[in-house]
Amino acid sequence: MKPWQVQSWCIAKVGADFVWRMEEVLDTYAEPYDPLYPVVCFDEKSYQLLAHITEPLPPVPGHPARVDYEYRRCGTANLFIAFEPLTGQRTVTVTERRSSEEFVAQMQALHLRYPEAKTIRLVLDQLSTHTPSSLYQHLPPDEANALKRRFEWVYTPKHASWLNMAEMEWSVLERQCLRRRLATSEELNNEVKAWEADRNARSIKVSWQFNTDKARVKLSRQYPSQN
């Protein structure tokens, strides 16, 4: 026992609400590709802008690049991602803020990106701004209603962001692009757009294997009716 050690952990409240939302997401992922009903995983995250105080030393034979541990904070930026796992296409947008107004702009952009789609199946988390109410907050009622009806709103359970395939894209973006100091939104946008273009050109998809049948076996203890 080491009582002085504490591990930070996200403890999800698992019950009937968790289960039905999880199965709704998994059933959505199990649908075959249909351009009239595209599945889009949507998410956002904050990024800390940092600048070097002392210029890094480039790598030389026998030594890796060296970066001084001191840095200067330059504020924050926000990243939105809209990822279509069955086609391997994603769009990452850099914004200064992460308010409901920016969320509405993202929904309008998605609406225009899929002009032929009857319904866009939108998988997203339960962030307070990620709701149709944001549309009504910033748009006239008829326009908000029309935009709301363009989407099938599929929410992951609370504290279950691992069910959103956009999280996998964040992980790759972090490893390949963001683990360094970027001081301005312009620098961040340039790097992110280069990463986006490369992955889209290669149409990198996701082969999602976890389905409802497997969930009922592996997470059987989480189903209230089975306890």
Side-chain angles (χ1 to χ4, degrees):
M1 293 289 291
K2 298 179 181 179
W4 60 89
Q5 292 186 351
V6 177
Q7 184 177 15
S8 179
W9 196 256
C10 181
I11 304 174
K13 183 179 180 181
V14 180
D17 185 74
F18 183 98
V19 165
W20 86 260
R21 290 188 183 278
M22 175 184 68
E23 290 203 354
E24 184 179 27
V25 172
L26 297 178
D27 289 346
T28 299
Y29 289 161
E31 293 288 335
Y33 174 69
D34 186 341
L36 296 180
Y37 299 92
V39 174
V40 177
C41 298
F42 181 86
D43 200 13
E44 64 178 279
K45 69 179 300 181
S46 181
Y47 181 78
Q48 176 72 58
L49 299 171
L50 302 173
H52 294 290
I53 293 178
T54 302
E55 284 300 310
L57 299 176
V60 296
H63 289 283
R66 284 165 285 183
V67 177
D68 193 279
Y69 66 88
E70 287 190 307
Y71 57 83
R72 183 175 71 255
R73 295 180 183 273
C74 302
T76 60
N78 189 60
L79 295 167
F80 286 104
I81 188 168
F83 172 51
E84 195 176 351
L86 295 180
T87 64
Q89 299 298 300
R90 75 276 295 140
T91 301
V92 184
T93 306
V94 177
T95 62
E96 293 184 1
R97 302 183 303 159
R98 54 179 305 177
S99 69
S100 59
E101 187 173 0
E102 279 70 32
F103 174 75
V104 172
Q106 290 297 303
M107 295 302 99
Q108 291 173 317
L110 278 176
H111 160 64
L112 296 175
R113 197 172 303 150
Y114 297 93
E116 304 301 324
K118 293 183 177 179
T119 301
I120 302 167
R121 294 169 172 169
L122 188 67
V123 179
L124 67 173
D125 62 24
Q126 296 190 52
L127 192 66
S128 60
T129 56
H130 290 181
T131 69
S133 65
S134 293
L135 309 182
Y136 284 88
Q137 184 178 353
H138 298 283
L139 299 174
D142 56 343
E143 188 176 343
N145 185 266
L147 186 57
K148 178 198 69 176
R149 292 166 62 87
R150 285 283 283 136
F151 300 97
E152 178 184 337
W153 303 79
V154 182
Y155 289 100
T156 61
K158 290 183 178 179
H159 305 306
S161 57
W162 57 273
L163 283 166
N164 189 338
M165 282 194 267
E167 291 287 337
M168 303 170 73
E169 288 294 295
W170 285 141
S171 179
V172 177
L173 177 61
E174 178 73 22
R175 294 196 310 271
Q176 296 181 347
C177 186
L178 299 183
R179 285 184 180 172
R180 50 197 166 128
R181 295 173 188 171
L182 300 171
T184 66
S185 294
E186 290 74 20
E187 288 181 66
L188 176 62
N189 186 65
N190 290 339
E191 297 297 330
V192 164
K193 286 303 179 184
W195 176 86
E196 173 194 304
D198 174 69
R199 286 180 72 79
N200 284 345
R202 293 184 286 147
S203 299
I204 297 178
K205 308 177 181 67
V206 171
S207 177
W208 185 268
Q209 301 297 316
F210 189 58
N211 57 33
T212 297
D213 290 338
K214 291 180 179 179
R216 291 176 181 177
V217 174
K218 293 186 176 183
L219 302 178
S220 60
R221 290 182 300 175
Q222 312 302 337
Y223 283 72
S225 62
Q226 299 185 39
N227 294 325

